Each structure stands twice: as structure tokens, then as C-alpha cells.
Amino acid sequence: NYNNITIVNAALWSQNKSLTVNDEGLGEWGFLIKEVTGIHENSIEGTTIDGVLESSGFPEIDILKLDIEGSEVELLTENYEHWLSKVKVMIIELHENLRPGCREVFLKATKPYDFKYSASGENEVLISNIL
């Protein structure tokens, strides 16, 4: 019912790829995403944050909330430099227990940007000092 909301039926990823959602037996909050070759019956479209930004027509992201069950590794390992510089506030839940190395990838990717860091419960909160 809201004209300013567009639903994107896709998963955030570092590249436009076919993906599947996999139940690794971790319960309803622990489904993991994997890349697949070609289109499969249960595959979904992976899209980049740059792609979402471009299709939205917005020049920057006011608030980016990420709770992507370990896929922050892929999202922050490659193709993040352009969109990350356009984020005013990022709230991210890191899933080190599902994907060891999430925190390291997160810190490495965000370090070059002028973010003020804080924590709120299980979330890392980054606020840009530039935008």
C-alpha cells in the first residue's frame, strides 16, 4: 500500500549470481546461502547493493540493516567499495558462529571509511562521519 516501497525478490550478494538457500540444520534462523551454477528449481537471484541502489535511483543509503546469516563474508569481501562509501548508517549482525572470519572481513572492509562504531545487543552500528 506504500508507493515509496519496492519489493526486490533477491538475495544480497557480492555479484549477480544464482543462489540457493540451504538448511544446514541450525534451526529456522540459520539458513545459509550458496552459489550455484545455472538456474535450479530452488535457486534465487543474487543481486548487489550497487544494483539495488542503481535501480532505486537513490544516490546513497540512509540506513542499511544487514542480518544475512554469514553471507556478510561474501558481501564484504569484494565489490563493496562503491556502495559502502554511500552508507550513512549501517546496522549489521555478524555471524561469526556460522562463518568464522565474518568479524575480520567486516573490520577490514569498513576500516578505510570514516565510521563511528558502537554496539547494540548483537548488532554492530556504524555511523558515517562524512555524509
Side-chain angles (χ1 to χ4, degrees), residues 12 61 63-68 89-93 123:
L12 291 177
I61 301 170
I63 300 173
L64 177 63
K65 171 66 168 94
L66 296 170
D67 184 356
I68 52 178
V89 175
M90 178 166 41
I91 304 161
I92 184 169
E93 183 178 331
N123 294 302

Side-chain angles (χ1 to χ4, degrees), residues 98-112:
L98 297 176
R99 297 283 303 279
C102 287
R103 180 165 300 284
E104 181 181 341
V105 167
F106 162 74
L107 292 172
K108 182 179 177 185
T110 58
K111 185 177 181 179

Side-chain angles (χ1 to χ4, degrees), residues 6-131:
T6 302
I7 296 171
V8 178
N9 191 17
L12 291 177
W13 206 249
S14 61
Q15 300 177 34
N16 295 325
K17 297 268 186 167
S18 291
L19 308 168
T20 58
V21 179
N22 298 293
D23 183 353
E24 302 289 330
L26 302 170
E28 62 184 17
W29 299 106
F31 290 90
L32 301 177
I33 304 294
K34 305 271 182 172
E35 285 186 22
V36 293
T37 304
I39 304 294
H40 295 270
E41 179 182 339
N42 296 321
S43 66
I44 58 172
E45 174 187 357
T47 190
T48 65
I49 292 179
D50 275 332
V52 173
L53 257 177
E54 186 178 311
S55 67
S56 75
F58 290 106
E60 58 196 19
I61 301 170
D62 290 329
I63 300 173
L64 177 63
K65 171 66 168 94
L66 296 170
D67 184 356
I68 52 178
E69 306 305 320
S71 293
E72 53 269 23
V73 170
E74 285 76 17
L75 197 65
L76 294 170
T77 298
E78 61 179 323
N79 300 327
Y80 61 87
E81 299 86 355
H82 188 254
W83 64 261
L84 192 52
S85 65
K86 297 177 179 184
V87 175
K88 292 181 180 179
V89 175
M90 178 166 41
I91 304 161
I92 184 169
E93 183 178 331
L94 299 173
H95 294 86
E96 190 72 27
N97 58 327
L98 297 176
R99 297 283 303 279
C102 287
R103 180 165 300 284
E104 181 181 341
V105 167
F106 162 74
L107 292 172
K108 182 179 177 185
T110 58
K111 185 177 181 179
Y113 303 92
D114 194 13
F115 286 113
K116 180 178 121 187
Y117 293 78
S118 65
S120 178
E122 56 192 13
N123 294 302
E124 303 287 334
V125 179
L126 289 74
I127 302 172
S128 175
N129 289 317
I130 295 174
L131 297 174

